[in-house]
Amino acid sequence: MNDHIDVSYLTDRIAIMGGFYENDTLSNVRSHFKARHENHHTIYNFSSEPDYNIEQDLEHVHTYPFNGNNPCALKTLIAICCDIDSYLSVHHQNIAFLHCRTGINNS
């Protein structure tokens, strides 16, 4: 099984994952999560494109859309950080995957 996906682990509990619709198949993404992080992963999606709806294809997605050419509002950044902190505090194996469509601007 080839479950390679475009992911970079910043720490053992926070990773950046970009552009899997363009670069990786959804089955590879699902296989990666099932094999390595089953029931202990959440994707934080920062894409603002209306046609990019990963919630319909993957589970455990929290979306905070903002334009990739501009920083998000400070209150949005605080909400994201609080959400991630809360999620990571629930279980020592939980991992947060930061994601945007291209993997360049937002994540």
Side-chain angles (χ1 to χ4, degrees):
M1 171 180 69
N2 179 6
D3 70 344
H4 173 76
I5 64 169
D6 183 15
V7 63
S8 296
Y9 288 83
L10 300 176
T11 71
D12 59 342
R13 302 196 61 208
I14 298 176
I16 295 176
M17 179 178 65
F20 54 76
Y21 276 137
E22 288 81 9
N23 301 322
D24 304 305
T25 66
L26 284 172
S27 63
N28 284 351
V29 173
R30 285 187 196 104
S31 293
H32 179 84
F33 289 141
K34 184 171 175 71
R36 298 185 183 162
H37 309 295
E38 188 168 22
N39 299 319
H40 292 288
H41 69 277
T42 293
I43 300 169
Y44 291 86
N45 176 33
F46 304 129
S47 296
S48 62
E49 295 89 350
D51 65 332
Y52 190 71
N53 184 5
I54 66 170
E55 293 91 346
Q56 68 188 8
D57 298 318
L58 296 170
E59 298 176 332
H60 312 292
V61 178
H62 295 201
T63 297
Y64 292 92
F66 58 93
N67 186 321
N69 296 320
N70 298 302
C72 66
L74 183 57
K75 72 179 188 175
T76 302
L77 180 59
I78 291 170
I80 293 166
C81 291
C82 288
D83 189 353
I84 293 171
D85 181 61
S86 175
Y87 175 68
L88 293 178
S89 298
V90 171
H91 195 280
H92 71 278
Q93 289 182 321
N94 285 356
I95 297 177
F97 288 88
L98 312 180
H99 171 73
C100 71
R101 187 173 194 163
T102 64
I104 298 170
N105 294 332
N106 298 355
S107 51

